[in-house]
Amino acid sequence: MNKFLSFTVTLFSITFLFSQEVEIKKWNFYSEKKPKFQPVKIPHTWNTIDAFDDEPGYWRGKGTYTTQLNITKIKKVHYIHFNGVNQQTKVWINDSYAGQHKGGYTAFDIDISLYVKKGTNKITVEVDNTNNETIPPLEADFTFYGGIYRSVYLCEEETTHFKKSNGADAIKIDALLDNDWQGEVQLKGAISNMDKQLLKHKVRLNIKDATNKLIATIEENIGAEFNLNVKLKNPLLWSPQTPNLYNVELNLLDVNGKIIDIYHQKIGFRKFEATTSGFNLNGKPIKLIGVNRHQDFEGLGNAVPIQKQIQDLVMIKNMGSNFLRLAHYPQDKAVYKAADSLGLILWSEIPVVNNVPINANYSEYKENCIQMQKEHIDQNYNHPSLIFIGYMNEIFLRMYFNNPEDEIKQKIIKNTIDLAQTLEDLTRKEAPNHITVMAIHGNQIYNETKIANLPMVLGWNLYQGWYSGQIQDLGIFLDEENKKYPNRPLIISEYGVDADKRLHNSDPKKMDFSEEYQFKYHPGYYQQLKNRSYVIGMTAWNFADFGSELRGNPIPHVNQKGLVNFDRTPKNIYYWYKAILKPEEKLSQFFKDLPTHISDSPKKKIIIISNQKVFLKVNDSEKIELQENTGLIETWINLKEGSNNLSLYDEFGKLQDSTNLIYQKPDLTKSNILSINFGTENYFIDDTNQIWIPYNQQSLLKVLDTVQNVNSSSNIKNTTNDPIYQSSISNVEKITAELPRGDYEVTLLFSLLKKDKSLVYELNNKKEDANTVLSNQNIKINGKLIKIEKLNPFDKTDCTITIKVEKDLIIETANETEKITISGIKIKRLF
Ligand code: GCB
């Protein structure tokens, strides 16, 4: 039985065609960590909080869910269908063990028919997300939240029903097109629990158009396995522009002609090929452009209601994408259905990431990978959106990073090739009308070992201009690859940079985490990729920020390469993609950065996102005409002190966007607070909306001596304003400022930055020792002694004093042999 989900752009609903399928939402839960039952609702995970707190790691262990089910008809067959549980599951019915499943990202059915009784039944589900060396992923740059995080159903079936296999109904449908664009539906299916009368059972296949009008029907006698073929004249084609779907309804009829099982699926007719001169869909070239997607969401972990997940796809489509990579694992069924309806071509893969074991675990790991790929294919095969099927991501990354001795390397290579070949063969066999893919990182090991020759299309995850090199290096690298391997169609399966909406910089640089650098990088990549025809597609990393517990970053434990934030509010770059990918929809708006320009200079660089010519008006000035280039415009304007009005008009004089920008000099004659961040060139908006300006953007404060910048991207404990503390200056003798006479509150901010752990992802960025900071500092503020004692590594210490200033504020070391290391200073005039 297949639940039928009808989808409209923002609304979706689940219609139960038969009463046999009931969602089980309410459970009781306890874990080894908190052994006390509490009621929970599915979707559920136990890692929403601890994967983001200051303690390293998150709880990985066993959790137990229990619930009660009322069964009324005992003669039927009963299954519990789990859509996704991370990552090992064992199920008991009335304390009898009923079955298990390994792997956190595919659905599975547990047949409970033998154990159920009429009346109330106790269901117990044990879920384990402990690190397991035999189940992929072994490691990856995302958080492995534990729990029953996708929906669960109780399914009642007649004793004869469509067979279930690998977590799906064993029905595979191909909607094929011949050379004259005539359609043929080829359907393969199987029946379970045959009784003697099966010979007299029939199936009826109905094909209906989008308005539910019956356009073809056949009825056939069947055996335990069956094949049906139906020709369709001139079917409407499926494509991202025209996602035309047909409804397939398959009925299983008993000897009396009564429907005893029913299967629904939407199908679409499309023909595609990947060549080195481009990707063709339905005979026409189309550049595949889109994003990658992780499934988690701010505050929810991976337990994300379906409506929110579908909203992601709507946003992805609205951005102008035609392509979506579901990285790095199969996602909820509803995601594939939404892609069918919205018109998004999918790349979907299993989470074989970073490395393959070489110890005794290998054979079990391999078996689990094979099983996972079978489930992945069987559960999603029938979706017209699914075109690319993958099975590995950056599989030599761990080996590259650890650089083991040669003998070990050879073993890793041997197992990895063996697994890749097995999964490639399996995918080609089980999904013959699809394209196989593999994503690799920017290293020649994939060519040298020839693993890159296995998939039909190769995906490169490239980060020139972030982890290595410069943005412009991308094209050079790709052309060299194309010269060496001219027959390979390529997809740039990942490219991106971390960007924090609170960090801004008008002269952005690699690794500064500013939104402006993200705004430089993505257009730079797009320019280099759009006309290289052997690059058939590109998917930005990532649609949204996502949880990765092992990361530091301005928001610790979050990978911030999203085009939208973790809560899905768009970053500026989202609108840029929309502007260039949907030129038919006119869009002109200001790049949103800081509400206040605090600088000695009234000049400010303005960025405009636009796919049309615009006219800019600043205060009472004449309108200035500005031409766009690839979706953006950059221009300098002069601001007056105080409030400034900026407006944007299109060529017909229609207002497109307006904003109010305050210009304030960094002095304390008019304003009452000045916050300065040391060791960075970024502006930062803190959690009270206070803007921290970089030291180099003001002339009020003077730092004496040759200072050194100390930087880190590690989590700083006890704050959400990590960027203030992730940069410092050391070797400071004296800081002075000439201030208007008055009373002041002065806060000095410190952090003790040690050497960062390098992450496996930071390919060429092995960190230098930043341990130059003293854990005790003695400082004088206008002669008043302050002792900063026992700074803890990666913790913050703030020290506030109130003082009277006649003319100068002087902060200096109290001990001539020591120098000061400091992250920030906030001076508040009390008047
Ligand atoms: C990659 C990985 C992805 C990471 C990404 C990053 O190449 O495939 O899982 O999240 O880089 O942000 O470093």
Side-chain angles (χ1 to χ4, degrees):
M1 177 66 55
N2 184 28
K3 75 176 186 302
F4 180 71
L5 193 135
S6 73
F7 174 75
T8 55
V9 174
T10 49
L11 247 190
F12 90 108
S13 63
I14 295 174
T15 317
F16 297 105
L17 292 164
F18 275 70
S19 59
Q20 296 99 318
E21 210 171 74
V22 180
E23 189 169 357
I24 318 171
K25 279 203 154 172
K26 290 185 184 164
W27 296 73
N28 286 311
F29 172 73
Y30 79 84
S31 67
E32 284 170 358
K33 197 180 167 201
K34 253 198 211 161
K36 193 171 168 251
F37 271 108
Q38 55 182 33
V40 294
K41 272 200 186 144
I42 304 300
H44 172 258
T45 169
W46 57 74
N47 293 120
T48 38
I49 294 170
D50 67 352
F52 299 94
D53 65 12
D54 277 342
E55 294 308 313
Y58 52 108
W59 191 70
R60 296 185 70 180
K62 280 186 187 151
T64 303
Y65 296 81
T66 62
T67 193
Q68 295 200 330
L69 289 180
N70 195 26
I71 307 257
T72 45
K73 287 186 196 138
I74 208 63
K75 271 194 193 149
K76 304 218 171 190
V77 179
H78 295 87
Y79 295 97
I80 303 188
H81 180 77
F82 292 87
N83 269 324
V85 181
N86 201 25
Q87 73 169 347
Q88 264 201 94
T89 315
K90 289 188 180 150
V91 180
W92 287 263
I93 310 298
N94 300 324
D95 298 324
S96 298
Y97 177 68
Q100 64 159 335
H101 181 259
K102 290 179 181 174
Y105 305 93
T106 44
F108 55 97
D109 289 299
I110 303 284
D111 186 346
I112 57 168
S113 317
L114 281 179
Y115 315 100
V116 285
K117 55 178 201 260
K118 201 166 172 184
T120 306
N121 292 264
K122 182 178 152 204
I123 315 288
T124 309
V125 181
E126 182 191 275
V127 182
D128 189 350
N129 74 334
T130 314
N131 189 25
N132 186 310
E133 288 293 311
T134 67
I135 307 174
L138 302 178
E139 56 162 276
D141 182 21
F142 58 94
T143 302
F144 306 154
Y145 312 90
I148 306 182
Y149 72 96
R150 291 186 194 156
S151 48
V152 184
Y153 290 85
L154 171 68
C155 313
E156 283 183 0
E157 305 272 2
E158 299 296 329
T159 45
T160 303
H161 57 273
F162 291 125
K163 188 176 170 183
K164 295 195 178 289
S165 129
N166 296 326
D169 288 301
I171 294 169
K172 270 189 174 171
I173 311 173
D174 282 299
L176 303 173
L177 289 159
D178 68 15
N179 291 340
D180 300 319
W181 305 99
Q182 300 305 308
E184 178 169 354
V185 175
Q186 294 181 352
L187 187 148
K188 270 192 215 152
I191 305 294
S192 249
N193 288 354
M194 305 150 292
D195 54 41
K196 287 193 188 98
Q197 292 172 314
L198 184 69
L199 286 177
K200 294 196 183 135
H201 278 72
K202 286 185 174 176
V203 284
R204 185 191 300 137
L205 171 64
N206 291 331
I207 301 179
K208 297 176 180 173
D209 68 10
T211 64
N212 244 2
K213 191 173 128 218
L214 189 65
I215 50 168
T217 182
I218 53 165
E219 203 168 292
E220 283 187 16
N221 292 325
I222 46 154
E225 289 181 358
F226 57 93
N227 288 300
L228 303 170
N229 279 14
V230 183
K231 298 221 187 264
L232 278 195
K233 261 190 123 184
N234 300 324
L236 295 172
L237 305 186
W238 184 93
S239 75
Q241 294 80 11
T242 55
N244 291 307
L245 296 172
Y246 289 85
N247 295 310
V248 161
E249 187 186 290
L250 188 67
N251 297 331
L252 178 59
L253 311 175
D254 70 6
V255 63
N256 302 315
K258 186 180 148 217
I259 298 176
I260 53 170
D261 202 357
I262 187 162
Y263 170 87
H264 275 273
Q265 174 69 37
K266 288 192 193 288
I267 59 163
F269 293 86
R270 78 279 190 263
K271 207 166 28 174
F272 50 81
E273 57 172 347
T275 76
T276 41
S277 46
F279 184 77
N280 297 321
L281 182 69
N282 302 332
K284 291 190 199 115
I286 165 175
K287 189 95 172 179
L288 301 172
I289 303 184
V291 293
N292 286 268
R293 175 183 186 262
H294 266 299
Q295 65 185 2
D296 60 344
F297 197 100
E298 186 167 63
L300 299 172
N302 56 355
V304 184
I306 292 305
Q307 290 88 332
K308 276 197 187 304
Q309 306 213 38
I310 291 176
Q311 196 52 43
D312 273 5
L313 269 82
V314 172
M315 280 188 85
I316 291 167
K317 179 74 185 181
N318 281 346
M319 191 183 98
S321 312
N322 53 28
F323 188 31
L324 167 61
R325 175 173 174 229
L326 302 176
H328 293 302
Y329 41 77
Q331 302 192 2
D332 197 286
K333 284 186 173 78
V335 167
Y336 298 81
K337 288 181 182 174
D340 292 344
S341 313
L342 288 165
L344 283 165
I345 291 174
L346 292 181
W347 160 330
S348 183
E349 66 194 22
I350 54 167
V352 182
V353 181
N354 288 8
N355 66 333
V356 168
I358 52 166
N359 55 18
N361 289 323
Y362 176 61
S363 58
E364 202 180 331
Y365 179 80
K366 182 177 172 184
E367 285 316 307
N368 287 337
C369 291
I370 293 171
Q371 177 57 24
M372 204 176 268
Q373 184 69 330
K374 282 187 181 159
E375 292 174 0
H376 173 216
I377 294 172
D378 285 1
Q379 291 166 22
N380 301 303
Y381 186 87
N382 298 338
H383 292 282
S385 53
L386 181 62
I387 290 186
F388 296 92
I389 302 186
Y391 51 83
M392 268 183 184
N393 183 67
E394 303 191 343
I395 204 64
F396 287 125
L397 189 70
R398 173 54 61 194
M399 182 175 90
Y400 167 79
F401 195 77
N402 288 1
N403 195 18
E405 52 194 52
D406 217 47
E407 199 185 326
I408 307 271
K409 258 190 199 154
Q410 292 317 318
K411 281 191 185 157
I412 298 175
I413 292 170
K414 184 167 164 274
N415 281 8
T416 308
I417 301 280
D418 172 62
L419 183 62
Q421 186 72 61
T422 307
L423 293 172
E424 176 71 27
D425 294 347
L426 171 83
T427 309
R428 287 189 191 217
K429 180 166 165 271
E430 298 295 326
N433 296 314
H434 294 74
I435 295 176
T436 60
V437 272
M438 174 192 290
I440 62 176
H441 81 274
N443 190 280
Q444 288 306 317
I445 185 79
Y446 300 91
N447 288 329
E448 286 154 16
T449 56
K450 300 201 169 48
I451 200 170
N453 294 340
L454 293 179
M456 296 173 184
V457 168
L458 190 64
W460 280 102
N461 298 346
L462 295 176
Y463 290 89
Q464 283 88 344
W466 186 246
Y467 293 130
S468 68
Q470 299 306 320
I471 296 171
Q472 291 311 322
D473 297 342
L474 173 77
I476 303 165
F477 174 86
L478 287 171
D479 289 344
E480 276 170 14
E481 281 299 311
N482 182 237
K483 217 164 144 198
K484 285 190 284 180
Y485 304 97
N487 299 323
R488 271 187 198 163
L490 304 180
I491 290 180
I492 309 310
S493 34
E494 290 180 26
Y495 63 99
V497 299
D498 291 83
D500 189 305
K501 66 172 181 188
R502 303 166 302 170
L503 288 169
H504 294 284
N505 195 327
S506 58
D507 183 20
K509 297 194 182 63
K510 172 169 143 178
M511 284 284 164
D512 71 5
F513 295 94
S514 70
E515 266 202 82
E516 285 79 0
Y517 189 71
Q518 187 184 39
F519 212 79
K520 192 166 160 179
Y521 175 97
H522 282 268
Y525 265 55
Y526 176 75
Q527 290 284 19
Q528 295 176 78
L529 296 177
K530 70 172 189 220
N531 296 325
R532 285 184 160 86
S533 57
Y534 59 86
V535 177
I536 65 165
M538 53 196 278
T539 40
W541 190 257
N542 192 290
F543 166 61
D545 289 359
F546 59 92
S548 176
E549 199 281 335
L550 47 82
R551 279 194 174 258
N553 277 0
I555 303 179
H557 317 297
V558 177
N559 184 315
Q560 294 185 259
K561 296 195 185 69
L563 309 183
V564 305
N565 294 294
F566 205 2
D567 66 357
R568 273 48 175 182
T569 50
K571 298 183 191 174
N572 285 291
I573 196 67
Y574 174 86
Y575 294 110
W576 174 79
Y577 272 108
K578 194 169 175 183
I580 51 146
L581 297 179
K582 292 175 104 177
E584 67 285 0
E585 269 179 40
K586 294 299 167 208
L587 184 157
S588 300
Q589 65 184 53
F590 291 111
F591 179 102
K592 309 255 170 329
D593 53 5
L594 303 159
T596 308
H597 177 65
I598 311 173
S599 169
D600 287 323
S601 165
K603 279 192 185 322
K604 158 116 179 128
K605 185 153 101 186
I606 298 287
I607 305 175
I608 297 161
I609 303 164
S610 183
N611 51 16
Q612 61 184 336
K613 174 166 79 181
V614 286
F615 294 83
L616 170 69
K617 192 166 175 325
V618 181
N619 297 322
D620 300 326
S621 76
E622 287 294 304
K623 287 182 187 162
I624 319 159
E625 182 180 325
L626 297 166
Q627 291 293 343
E628 60 94 23
N629 182 6
T630 324
L632 62 95
I633 299 164
E634 284 186 356
T635 188
W636 286 88
I637 58 167
N638 264 321
L639 297 168
K640 64 174 174 48
E641 271 193 71
S643 171
N644 293 266
N645 282 317
L646 275 63
S647 316
L648 269 188
Y649 298 87
D650 68 9
E651 60 180 319
F652 309 105
K654 195 164 163 236
L655 183 69
Q656 303 292 301
D657 195 11
S658 65
T659 189
N660 191 273
L661 187 58
I662 294 166
Y663 171 49
Q664 191 182 300
K665 285 198 173 152
D667 65 27
L668 285 156
T669 47
K670 294 185 194 122
S671 66
N672 65 345
I673 295 188
L674 185 66
S675 305
I676 291 165
N677 197 2
F678 292 117
T680 177
E681 292 178 6
N682 284 334
Y683 283 81
F684 171 68
I685 310 173
D686 75 11
D687 52 17
T688 63
N689 275 333
Q690 177 71 38
I691 299 175
W692 292 73
I693 64 174
Y695 169 68
N696 66 346
Q697 288 298 321
Q698 55 83 50
S699 56
L700 180 78
L701 213 68
K702 297 212 168 29
V703 176
L704 296 193
D705 228 331
T706 358
V707 295
Q708 271 175 323
N709 286 356
V710 186
N711 294 89
S712 163
S713 56
S714 289
N715 176 29
I716 308 293
K717 290 183 196 145
N718 299 311
T719 182
T720 50
N721 294 323
D722 295 68
I724 301 175
Y725 303 94
Q726 286 169 332
S727 68
S728 306
I729 43 170
S730 66
N731 210 27
V732 178
E733 209 167 273
K734 201 186 237 180
I735 300 173
T736 59
E738 202 176 306
L739 301 180
R741 189 162 172 249
D743 291 336
Y744 289 86
E745 188 183 271
V746 177
T747 307
L748 306 182
L749 298 91
F750 304 92
S751 53
L752 178 56
L753 304 175
K754 294 250 182 196
K755 184 178 175 167
D756 276 355
K757 274 200 305 304
S758 281
L759 292 180
V760 69
Y761 300 94
E762 300 177 47
L763 299 175
N764 291 325
N765 191 35
K766 305 208 166 137
K767 296 260 169 81
E768 296 306 319
D769 197 343
N771 188 12
T772 48
V773 188
L774 297 173
S775 61
N776 294 326
Q777 301 195 45
N778 295 308
I779 292 172
K780 280 192 293 187
I781 303 186
N782 284 8
K784 221 176 190 176
L785 181 68
I786 299 181
K787 280 179 180 278
I788 313 294
E789 284 178 329
K790 295 203 187 97
L791 286 173
N792 292 319
F794 299 112
D795 205 345
K796 60 148 210 166
T797 297
D798 295 353
C799 165
T800 303
I801 65 158
T802 309
I803 51 163
K804 238 184 204 349
V805 174
E806 288 304 326
K807 185 163 176 273
D808 291 317
L809 174 71
I810 301 174
I811 300 161
E812 61 198 326
T813 172
N815 182 337
E816 271 168 27
T817 59
E818 285 169 12
K819 301 261 170 100
I820 303 170
T821 299
I822 187 163
S823 301
I825 180 168
K826 185 163 159 184
I827 308 172
K828 186 170 175 191
R829 189 169 178 197
L830 302 173
F831 289 96

